[in-house]
Amino acid sequence: MRPKPRPRLRPRPPEPSGARRLARRHPGALLALFLCSTGGALAALALPAALGHAVDRLVDGGPVPWAGLLLCAVLTLAETGFDAGAAVLTTSTGARLTAHLRTRTTARVLAAEPRRALAVPTGDLTSRLTARTADAATAPVTAAGAVAGVLLPLGAIVGLFVIDLWTAAAFLLGAPLLVALLHTFTRRTADAGADYQRAQSVIAHRLTEALDGADTIRAARTGAREYRRILEPLTTLAAHGRRTWAVYGRAAGQSALLLPLLMLLVLAVGGLRLHTGAIGVGDLVAASRYAALAVGIGSLTGALGALARSRAAARTLDPLLTLDPLPHEGLGPLPGGPGHLELRDVGVVQDGKQDGNQEGKQDGMQDGEPLLNGEPDRKPLLTGVHLTVPGGTSLAVVGRSGSGKSVFAAVVGRLLDPDTGTVLLDGVPLTAMDPALLRPEIAYAFARPALPGTTVEDTIAFGPWTAGPAAVREGARAARADGFVGLLPYGYATPLTDAPLSGGERQRLGLARAFAHPGRLLILDDALSGLDTVTEHHVRRALDERAGRCTRVIVAHRLSSAARADRVLWLEDGRVRATGPHEELWADPEYRAVFRTETGEAEETAEADEGPGAGADGALPQARTEVEAR
C-alpha cells in the first residue's frame, strides 16, 4: 500500500556567511577576546597617566614614588598579559570558526542537487572550501580584536584633551588626513583582494581540468600547451598582487610621512605649553605617550585590510550557502520492496548546471566563472521517458555517446531531479523520500569512482553506512578485486597512497563498494568499461546472482552487457528509441550499429550472422564487440 502523502516540507532557509552568524558559534571565546583586547587597551591608556604622575613626583624632589612606579609596572605586565591572551584566542578561535564554516559550506553543497552545486567549477569550488572559508571566518575574530585598534587612538585623544586643549587641537589638525588615508586604503584593498581571488579561481579550475585529463594530455603530448594555459592567468594574478602590495606600500609611505609630522606638531605645541607653565613635565611625558597611541590609528590598516578580504571571500561563499537542499516529504521507500522502478514522462533540460559526469554536458561557463545565476541556452537531455522496470530485474541502457544514458542513470538514483515527470521506487516518488532513507537503498558504481578513505578497506567500506570486514571482503570477491588486493603489501590495510592502481582496478574497488552496500537498486554507470573480458564475465555473474533481490540498471557500452540483461532501453537524442529484450532489438540494423566499432564492421556482421547469445554463458566474444562510447 502506498504511504499516505504528508505535507511537503519547505527547504531550509538560506544560510548567509555573515560575521554575525559566525560570531554566534563561539560567543564565549569572542567575548574573552574582546575583554582581552579591551583590557590591554585600557592598561595601555592608563600607563601614560600613571607615568606622568610619577615623573611629576620625581621632578618635585619628593620621595621616590614607589607606589606610582609599582602601578606602572603592573599596568605594563597587564598590557603584555592581555595582548598575549588576545593572540592565543585569535588563533584558536579563528581555527574553530574556519572549521565550522568549512563544514557548513561542504554540508550545504552535498545536500544540494549535484547539478546546482557543481555549477561552480571543481577547482574554484575547492578554492572556496579551503582558502576562502579561512578568509571569511576571520571576520568576527578581527572585529573583536579590532576593539583595541579603535579604543587606543580614541582614548589617547581624550587623554590629550584632559591634559591640554591646545595640544589636543594640534593633533586634530591632521586627523582628517589620517581618516581619508584609512578610507582610501580600505576601499582599494577590498577591490584588489576580490580581483586576486578571481584570478586564483581561474588557475585552480584549469589545473583541476588538466589533472582530470592527465592521461589524454600525456597521450596527445600537449603538456607544454596545457602548462602555458594553466599558468596564463599568473600574469593577471601577479598584477593584482602587485596592486595589493602597492596599496599597502602607498598607505605605509603616507603613514610614515603623516604620523611623524603629527607627533612633531604635538610635541612642539606641548613644549611651548610647558615653557609657558601651562603644563608640567609629567603632563608633557603623558602627552607624548598619548600622541604616540593616537597616531597608532595607522595600525588599523591591517585590521581593515583583513576585514575587506573577509568580506570579499564571504561574497564568494554566499552562492554555496544559499543552495537549496533537496526537498522531500519525509517519506521512505516501502519496507521490503523489490526495487520496482517507474518513470512517468521524465524530462531533463540542460541549463549549464549539469553534473560534470553527465553526458551531453556543454560548456556553460568560462574559466572560473560559474553560472549560478546566468541564463545559458537550454537543451533537452531526456524527453518524455516512460518506463517500468520490474523489481529484481536488470535493465541495460544503451545508445550512442550523448544520448542521455548517464543522465538517465543519475535521474533514477536521484543524483539529478528531472525537470518534468516523476520517478517512483516501489510506488513512492523519489522526490518525496527523505534522502537519508533513500541513499541506503541505492548503490552506485561509476567509470571513474572516487576512492575516499585511508586504506583499501576504508574505501570499500565507505558508503551510507560503514560496511563491516565480512561485507568488504564479500564485495571485493564479487567485484573480482580480492585477487589484486591480496598482492598489495598489507592487503586490505594497504594505504591507498601505497597502492598503485590501474583504471580497471579502481573500477573494481568502486564495484566492490557498491556490492558491499546492498540495497534494492544497483546502478552501474559505465562501471565495467575498464575490465578485461574474464573479469567482466565474473562480475556479470555476480550481478546475475542478485536477480530477484535487487534491480540492476547498467549503462552498457558493450554488447555482452546488453545481451545478458533482462531488458534493454535504447536511447537516442534523449528519447526512448525502443525497449525490449536484446534478442528482439538485434533485428534492427540501427540497434546493431550502436555497438559497431570504427574498425570492426566486418566482425560485427559476422556476429550478426551468428546471432546474439554466442559464446559461453550467452556472452558474445568480447574481443570483437568491446566498445568504449564515452
Side-chain angles (χ1 to χ4, degrees):
M1 181 180 296
R2 182 172 176 175
K4 182 179 179 180
R6 303 180 186 178
R8 191 172 183 83
L9 300 180
R10 298 181 62 184
R12 290 174 294 174
E15 300 181 1
S17 59
R20 185 176 301 176
R21 178 182 179 85
L22 281 175
R24 292 198 291 266
R25 295 298 306 176
H26 298 286
L30 292 174
L31 178 60
L33 175 59
F34 171 81
L35 293 177
C36 284
S37 300
T38 304
L42 292 176
L45 290 172
L47 182 58
L51 183 61
H53 181 70
V55 169
D56 280 337
R57 294 285 300 275
L58 289 172
V59 171
D60 290 342
V64 176
W66 294 109
L69 294 177
L70 180 60
L71 177 60
C72 291
V74 171
L75 290 174
T76 301
L77 290 175
E79 180 183 1
T80 304
F82 280 128
D83 289 345
V88 172
L89 287 169
T90 297
T91 303
S92 60
T93 307
R96 285 190 290 175
L97 289 177
T98 299
H100 165 72
L101 186 56
R102 284 176 179 166
T103 302
R104 185 159 61 95
T105 307
T106 303
R108 197 76 187 193
V109 170
L110 294 177
E113 186 183 359
R115 65 169 170 174
R116 306 297 176 188
L118 296 181
V120 180
T122 305
D124 187 19
L125 181 62
T126 303
S127 177
R128 296 190 194 196
L129 293 177
T130 53
R132 307 291 176 78
T133 50
D135 287 337
T138 61
V141 175
T142 304
V147 173
V150 175
L151 186 59
L152 278 176
L154 293 181
I157 294 173
V158 172
L160 286 175
F161 272 104
V162 171
I163 293 172
D164 184 63
L165 292 177
W166 289 100
T167 306
F171 177 82
L172 292 179
L173 285 176
L177 294 177
L178 196 57
V179 173
L181 172 64
L182 293 176
H183 175 73
T184 303
F185 170 81
T186 303
R187 177 172 51 82
R188 292 179 178 176
T189 300
D191 295 341
D195 293 340
Y196 190 87
Q197 290 174 351
R198 279 192 289 269
Q200 279 183 318
S201 297
V202 173
I203 295 177
H205 173 51
R206 294 184 179 182
L207 178 60
T208 304
E209 282 185 331
L211 291 175
D212 288 341
D215 292 338
T216 302
I217 294 171
R218 189 181 299 111
R221 297 184 179 181
T222 58
R225 187 171 64 189
E226 283 299 307
Y227 178 84
R228 291 191 298 270
R229 186 179 77 91
I230 294 170
L231 298 185
E232 179 187 4
L234 276 181
T235 304
T236 304
L237 187 70
H240 294 319
R242 288 192 296 269
R243 176 178 156 206
T244 301
W245 284 112
V247 171
Y248 274 96
R250 191 177 298 112
Q254 292 171 348
S255 299
L257 177 64
L258 178 61
L259 301 184
L261 289 177
L262 283 175
M263 279 290 298
L264 182 61
L265 180 60
V266 170
L267 291 176
V269 173
L272 290 175
R273 297 291 288 171
L274 175 64
H275 179 70
T276 60
I279 60 175
V281 176
D283 291 332
L284 180 60
V285 172
S288 66
R289 293 290 302 162
Y290 281 130
L293 294 176
V295 298
I297 195 172
S299 64
L300 278 175
T301 55
L304 292 175
L307 287 173
R309 290 193 302 272
S310 297
R311 185 177 180 182
R315 283 197 295 266
T316 65
L317 295 180
D318 280 340
L320 301 180
L321 289 168
T322 54
L323 286 170
D324 290 330
L326 285 173
H328 61 87
E329 297 175 6
L331 302 180
L334 291 176
H340 183 86
L341 190 64
E342 185 177 358
L343 288 83
R344 299 176 181 174
D345 194 25
V346 168
V348 178
V349 177
Q350 165 76 3
D351 58 358
K353 304 172 185 177
Q354 299 293 337
D355 179 16
N357 291 328
Q358 293 169 358
E359 297 182 30
K361 177 180 177 181
Q362 293 179 332
D363 291 334
M365 60 192 76
Q366 299 297 324
D367 284 329
E369 297 180 1
L371 284 175
L372 284 171
N373 300 311
E375 294 295 337
D377 294 335
R378 297 174 67 83
K379 171 189 174 182
L381 299 181
L382 289 178
T383 304
V385 177
H386 290 274
L387 182 69
T388 299
V389 183
T393 64
S394 61
L395 174 74
V397 185
V398 305
R400 298 185 184 276
S401 179
S403 60
K405 300 185 296 298
S406 289
V407 178
F408 177 88
V411 166
V412 297
R414 210 191 178 189
L415 294 183
L416 172 67
D417 280 343
D419 295 291
T420 60
T422 306
V423 181
L424 301 96
L425 180 62
D426 288 323
V428 183
L430 295 186
T431 53
M433 297 185 194
D434 185 340
L437 300 176
L438 175 64
R439 285 294 152 229
E441 301 294 337
I442 302 176
Y444 261 101
F446 299 96
R448 298 175 60 186
L451 300 180
T454 304
T455 65
V456 172
E457 183 166 359
D458 290 341
T459 196
I460 298 176
F462 184 87
W465 69 91
T466 301
V472 167
R473 283 151 182 78
E474 181 181 351
R477 284 191 292 269
R480 301 293 289 181
D482 56 333
F484 76 83
V485 171
L487 298 177
L488 295 175
Y490 304 103
Y492 287 91
T494 303
L496 287 173
T497 54
D498 298 335
L501 301 174
S502 66
E505 289 169 342
R506 293 179 67 91
Q507 279 194 357
R508 277 184 272 174
L509 289 182
L511 285 165
R513 183 169 57 213
F515 285 138
H517 297 84
R520 65 183 73 192
L521 182 60
L522 174 61
I523 302 173
L524 307 185
D525 187 0
D526 200 18
L528 305 177
S529 60
L531 306 185
D532 59 80
T533 304
V534 175
T535 301
E536 187 202 5
H537 171 71
H538 286 286
V539 171
R540 285 191 282 108
R541 290 187 63 179
L543 290 172
D544 292 342
E545 291 173 359
R546 284 157 174 75
R549 298 183 288 115
C550 171
T551 301
R552 291 138 291 147
V553 176
I554 305 167
V555 173
H557 296 297
R558 291 177 176 176
L559 185 56
S560 56
S561 297
R564 202 176 187 108
D566 297 320
R567 191 179 182 191
V568 175
L569 170 65
W570 177 14
L571 292 176
E572 186 173 279
D573 296 328
R575 296 180 180 273
V576 177
R577 174 70 181 268
T579 61
H582 172 75
E583 292 78 5
E584 294 180 4
L585 298 178
W586 189 255
D588 190 331
E590 294 188 24
Y591 176 77
R592 296 199 300 270
V594 171
F595 301 96
R596 181 181 300 139
T597 63
E598 294 182 359
T599 60
E601 185 171 355
E603 289 84 352
E604 185 230 73
T605 303
E607 289 177 0
D609 293 337
E610 294 175 3
D617 296 322
L620 289 167
Q622 289 292 314
R624 295 181 294 171
T625 61
E626 187 170 325
V627 177
E628 296 295 341
R630 292 181 67 85

